[in-house]
Amino acid sequence: MRPAPLRILLYLVVLLLPFLTVATYHLKTEDVYFYNLGRCFAQLAFAIIVLQVVLASRLRWVERPFGLNLTFPFHRRMGTVAAVLLLLHPPLMALGGGGWHLLYGLNVEWYILVAKTALALLLVNVSLSLWRVRLGVKFEKWRLWHDILGPLVLVLAFTHSWYASEDFKVRPMQVLWVTYLAAAVWLFVYHRLIRPLQLRDHLYRVLEVKQEAPKVWTIKFAPPPGERRFDFQPGQFQFVTLFRGGGLPVEEHHFTIASSPTEAGFHASTIKESGDFTASIGRTRPGDTAAIQAPFGRFSYVFYPEARDLVFIAGGIGITPLMSNLRHLRDTKADRRVLLLYANRTESDIVFREELARMEIGTRPELRVAHILSKPGEDWQGETGHLDREKLARLVGDRLATGTFFLCCPPSMLQGLVQSLRDLEVAEARLHFEYFSL
Amino acid sequence: MEFKQLQLVTAWVIGISLVLALGLAWLRSV
């Protein structure tokens, strides 16, 4: 079986194994339909929460066929599904004979109070995740709370189901539930504690810090002494924790790798100062160390060997994964036709301008670059304004019918461009895009 | 796998799970 369907099938098996176990060992109950439906929803939600840990743990075997920028949105959606199922659980139990005091009463069994607490915490957790930016919660703070609330909800939900449900008087269900909980707890501990410590035993070193444009820095990393740099494909990304001293923040962030795997002995990320953490990126110094977990992602032309005609579209610092792809195309003298549409505000915001101009002179790949500026200076001769549908159609031309598109831009720009390309009848299979953030 | 396919997979996973939940609840009640 192909990798992606196999993993989806396994996901479904873990999700539905509680149903199969109940159906095999404890099918008949004295309870009415809605009561049983409430139970089914809760068991389904518990399995989803267990699988949330698997999806979030960056396990290479799980991530590889999809890329984290698909597994993370799936994690987000399934979290919402679990919350909806658990919200429906109490009213269904009440409707099925449990009594409406289950919903509002505090004079209930202790394990019902545990369930109410779990549900409240889950709703807080999901709300924070869905509306973090709107609620003004910083990424690091959200992540800390997500790491506390997620496992807490899991343990509380386990405790509630163990004591509240008749189904857990049956040994196979007990075994299944304990296995699920143990697997999730182990995976969480591995992901958040053990692996970070392992990575600290193999620290990369900052080789060079170079300013590319105002507020844009390239940081080159060298592998630990005596070790080889990890292998990666162009366009992939890494999780980096920088250790810089001087009171600078020690936080894990993901950055695209802007260099090409063909460049031996180092790899580099080009980072723009924006959030709290990246504001200090220019204060990184050669000799600083970094714990690195990589590579991740599938935003790479190499995964589509049949694509001979490539159209790259970058907005601002979204150029970095595309630059990695372009450098790889250049170094391997790839026989491809590439059109790069590169949108920026001003001329000084254009990163890698000279290197791109040098690449344009070569024939492998056959590269053409079109710069588009939304706030051009008076002497700017190139394209101006925003990259809208009309401009897209004109600049891409007949490649709309043949090109394979790779887009990396800020979310609002990306949404508009993807919609425009769909309107211009670019087939879904030829559309690949990456958000700035996960 | 692409974004559109992910949406489809999510819909299928939710759909299959819900149908089985509804069916199992019925089986347990009759």
Side-chain angles (χ1 to χ4, degrees):
Chain A
M1 190 181 259
R2 287 167 55 205
L6 172 69
R7 282 148 182 84
I8 294 164
L9 186 69
L10 281 176
Y11 184 91
L12 267 174
V13 167
V14 175
L15 202 61
L16 300 174
L17 205 53
F19 287 180
L20 186 68
T21 313
V22 158
T24 310
Y25 296 100
H26 193 232
L27 181 62
K28 291 295 172 193
T29 63
E30 300 294 314
D31 305 309
V32 300
Y33 179 75
F34 286 118
Y35 200 90
N36 282 320
L37 188 60
R39 271 184 180 147
C40 287
F41 278 9
Q43 287 167 4
L44 192 59
F46 184 78
I48 290 175
I49 295 171
V50 167
L51 284 161
Q52 292 292 84
V53 188
V54 179
L55 290 171
S57 297
R58 300 183 208 153
L59 297 175
R60 214 167 289 284
W61 188 85
V62 175
E63 179 266 351
R64 200 181 295 133
F66 309 100
L68 281 187
N69 47 344
L70 285 191
T71 53
F72 279 9
F74 184 68
H75 169 96
R76 226 176 349 247
R77 278 167 203 191
M78 293 312 288
T80 312
V81 172
V84 171
L85 289 171
L86 286 180
L87 266 176
L88 290 170
H89 172 65
L92 284 169
M93 303 299 276
L95 195 65
W100 292 100
H101 70 285
L102 277 179
L103 269 65
Y104 53 79
L106 288 175
N107 188 20
V108 287
E109 289 86 352
W110 67 270
Y111 49 78
I112 304 291
L113 291 175
V114 167
K116 286 174 189 253
T117 312
L119 183 55
L121 294 178
L122 178 68
L123 292 177
V124 171
N125 201 16
V126 170
S127 306
L128 275 176
S129 304
L130 291 179
W131 301 299
R132 177 181 69 81
V133 177
R134 208 176 297 172
L135 292 168
V137 180
K138 289 177 182 166
F139 178 81
E140 276 306 307
K141 197 169 264 184
W142 164 78
R143 198 161 114 158
L144 177 68
W145 278 106
H146 204 61
D147 280 350
I148 295 169
L149 291 173
L152 197 56
V153 168
L154 185 75
V155 171
L156 291 175
F158 174 89
T159 310
H160 165 74
S161 54
W162 191 267
Y163 289 98
S165 175
E166 286 290 312
D167 289 342
F168 294 95
K169 304 276 187 284
V170 181
R171 183 50 60 90
M173 276 302 277
Q174 291 179 344
V175 171
L176 184 69
W177 238 226
V178 170
T179 308
Y180 274 17
L181 179 72
V185 169
W186 159 247
L187 207 50
F188 178 79
V189 170
Y190 171 71
H191 173 52
R192 301 306 287 153
L193 297 174
I194 298 173
R195 188 166 49 204
L197 287 175
Q198 287 173 340
L199 290 174
R200 285 185 191 210
D201 285 340
H202 303 272
L203 289 177
Y204 279 64
R205 194 166 44 84
V206 175
L207 266 183
E208 187 186 326
V209 182
K210 179 185 167 196
Q211 185 158 21
E212 301 279 0
K215 296 190 173 186
V216 179
W217 303 83
T218 290
I219 300 187
K220 266 189 186 180
F221 298 96
E227 292 185 26
R228 282 183 56 227
R229 188 204 64 206
F230 59 86
D231 287 326
F232 65 97
Q233 301 295 343
Q236 290 192 296
F237 64 91
Q238 57 178 342
F239 286 89
V240 181
T241 310
L242 281 165
F243 303 103
R244 300 176 290 180
L248 291 172
V250 179
E251 297 171 6
E252 188 188 54
H253 287 264
H254 59 276
F255 299 115
T256 303
I257 302 168
S259 57
S260 160
T262 47
E263 299 170 291
F266 74 93
H267 72 284
S269 281
T270 298
I271 301 159
K272 183 168 186 165
E273 295 175 18
S274 49
D276 285 352
F277 176 79
T278 53
S280 71
I281 204 71
R283 290 162 69 191
T284 308
R285 295 285 172 260
D288 288 344
T289 54
I292 290 179
Q293 192 193 359
F296 293 100
R298 291 183 61 83
F299 191 66
S300 183
Y301 84 97
V302 298
F303 293 119
Y304 307 94
E306 73 291 350
R308 315 302 296 175
D309 200 0
L310 304 168
V311 181
F312 290 172
I313 304 179
I317 199 65
I319 188 66
T320 52
L322 297 171
M323 197 61 194
S324 176
N325 276 283
L326 283 168
R327 285 168 167 159
H328 188 263
L329 284 157
R330 172 197 65 196
D331 294 347
T332 57
K333 299 195 183 335
D335 184 17
R336 301 283 210 286
R337 225 159 62 105
V338 189
L339 169 67
L340 170 65
L341 306 183
Y342 187 9
N344 279 289
R345 264 203 194 93
T346 67
E347 217 169 330
S348 63
D349 291 326
I350 303 173
V351 187
F352 309 126
R353 190 174 182 182
E354 288 77 23
E355 190 175 347
L356 287 168
R358 284 197 299 277
M359 281 187 198
E360 266 190 295
I361 298 167
T363 53
R364 284 188 168 215
E366 186 190 325
L367 173 68
R368 189 168 77 78
V369 182
H371 292 284
I372 304 111
L373 296 183
S374 60
K375 291 183 179 168
E378 283 179 7
D379 50 353
W380 176 252
Q381 303 288 315
E383 294 287 338
T384 58
H386 291 285
L387 189 50
D388 54 18
R389 189 174 147 176
E390 172 278 317
K391 209 168 275 144
L392 203 53
R394 178 165 54 77
L395 293 170
V396 178
D398 57 3
R399 289 177 173 191
L400 281 169
T402 56
T404 299
F405 290 73
F406 289 83
L407 295 84
C408 188
C409 336
S412 57
M413 180 181 174
L414 186 69
Q415 271 176 358
L417 285 174
V418 169
Q419 192 52 52
S420 297
L421 289 169
R422 284 178 181 147
D423 293 346
L424 292 163
E425 295 180 354
V426 173
E428 212 59 47
R430 292 190 286 120
L431 263 182
H432 310 286
F433 45 89
E434 185 144 287
Y435 290 98
F436 268 3
S437 64
L438 293 171
Chain B
M1 179 177 278
E2 303 311 325
F3 218 76
K4 278 266 174 179
Q5 287 171 295
L6 174 82
Q7 288 173 323
L8 205 63
V9 165
T10 312
W12 271 103
V13 166
I14 297 168
I16 291 170
S17 308
L18 284 181
V19 167
L20 288 177
L22 293 165
L24 181 63
W26 177 75
L27 270 180
R28 301 191 81 184
S29 314
V30 290

